[in-house]
Each structure stands twice: as structure tokens, then as C-alpha cells.
Amino acid sequence: MELATQALTRKPRDAYYWRLFATAASFALFGLGGLCLRLLVFPLLSCLPGSADTHQRRARLTISRLFWLFIRLMQRAGVLTYSVEGAENLGRPGQMIIANHPSLIDVVFLIGLVRQANCVVKQSLWQNPFTRGPVREAGYISNDGSAEMLDAAAAALREGQTLIIFPEGTRTPPGATPAFHRGGAAIALRGATIITPVVIKVSPTTLTKAEPWYRIPKCRVHFSLRVGADIEPQAFAALGPAPQASRKLNDYLHHYFIKELAEDERPTTP
């Protein structure tokens, strides 16, 4: 009788082995999709008429739609659930979208939500055979830490592009608070019309820097993306010379995210 009671009260593992299989299949599909884009889709798109800017816009639109399809497939497969609050405020000209970086697929969510976004991506993606084709065709900016990278990002904003950036530069270790580099603030002061923060929460944590993809949690993971109120970069530009203004803006963003991440998860509507 006691054993039967324990079996009834034990929490289920939420289709653990199915989710493990579905996670593996999802990442395999992602890799194959990157190769197909590089070897088949983009060569076909390049045959269509239009300027270099038109080709780049087609590439970004294609990637964005496929990324959102990938998210929806992971949801349908039972790997994850998600909620997004305030997505209608993303994608404006000259907008710099700043987000924390708790998991591997944060960039997939944001690029999927913003149809024509540019993005500062880590340099290793340019050497990866599965991703170098898409990032090159879309004209994403390599985060190599150089002055040229800062110039390219600021120039993209001044041209009216929407730019996605993760100021941490890498995924947040589990249990740690975000540590922002000042480069994002410097870019914003040099080119952004508006800064829009996006707070990303993942519960339970998964796909972090410390975890391999196959170490999935015992229950289905939930991604919550909440778009915050706009921040005026020029309000900080007036506070002093560029280095001082950059430091103050970075400190403000850092404390904003720490405060938002410390709050209890609010229910949101997908």
C-alpha cells in the first residue's frame, strides 16, 4: 500500500525520453537546414533580380521565417513552450534590441520575431559549416571585439536597420547574473534611435553554456520573452563624454536586467 501511494504521488518525468529524441531531431534538422540554405536556397534566391540590398533583405526574411518555424516545430514536438509579451514593439527603424542570453536558442527566438533584423553574432558562426552560409548572406555582424565591428553595428543603426545584440557576448552561467560588456552601450550611443530591452527567462534552465544539448530537464521547458519600455540613448549621451556616457548607460542596462530577472515570472500570452 505504501509503495502504491509513493507511485501515485511521484512526479512524472513529462515524456522525458520523447523530449530527448525530439530535441536531438530538432538540432539535427537545424544543422541540415543550415546546409540546405547555404547549398540550395540562397543560390536559388541569388538568381532572382534585384540589388545587393534586395538580396540581403530576402535572405533575412527567409532566415526569420524558418527560425520561427523551427520554434513552432519544437513547441509542437513537446520540447518547449513559450510566451511573448510586447512583440509588436520590435522591428522599428534604428531600433537596438538588447537582450540577456540564458540559452542557446535566444537568438533564434528574436530573429524569428523580427523579420528584417540585423544581428551581432559570435565569430565562431562564421567558421561553422552549418551556419556560415546564412550569417554571410544575411550580412550579420561578427562579434570579433574590433573597432570595425563597433563601426559596422553603429552604421547599420544609422541606416535604419533593427539591430539585435546580446551585451554579455556569451550565455549566462546558470545561477549567475548577467555581466554586460560596454560595447553594446557604445554602439547604441553612436547609432541607435531607440533602445528596447527584451528580458528572456527560461524555466527550468536548459541549453546553457554549462550544459550539453542532451542534458534536458525532467519537465518541459518554458521560454518567456518580455519586451520592456523604450530607453532613449540621447538622454545618456548628454551626461558627459562618450566613455562616461557609455559607462552610465551600460550600468543602467545592467541593473535593469538584474531587477527584471529577479522578479517572479508573470503569466504571459503566447
Side-chain angles (χ1 to χ4, degrees), residues 126-138:
W126 292 83
Q127 283 79 48
N128 188 314
F130 298 102
T131 57
R132 67 187 181 195
V135 297
R136 183 182 65 246
E137 293 294 331

Side-chain angles (χ1 to χ4, degrees), residues 146-190:
S146 66
E148 289 76 15
M149 181 273 289
L150 298 178
D151 292 340
L157 288 165
R158 290 194 295 268
E159 291 169 6
Q161 298 183 39
T162 302
L163 181 69
I164 297 170
I165 188 167
F166 296 91
E168 295 171 85
T170 187
R171 282 167 281 169
T172 315
T177 56
F180 284 6
H181 299 291
R182 205 183 300 174
I187 294 168
L189 290 172
R190 291 172 57 184

Side-chain angles (χ1 to χ4, degrees), residues 228-246:
D230 292 335
I231 300 166
E232 294 282 351
Q234 295 311 311
F236 290 87
L239 296 179
Q244 182 180 355
S246 175

Side-chain angles (χ1 to χ4, degrees), residues 4 12 34-36 41-42 47 59-60 62 77 94 107 120 136 143 153 179 181 197 206 242 246 257:
L35 281 179
C36 286
V41 175
F42 288 142
C47 297
R60 288 181 182 177
T62 301
V107 66
V120 177
R136 183 182 65 246
N143 187 12
H181 299 291
T206 188
S246 175
F257 275 88

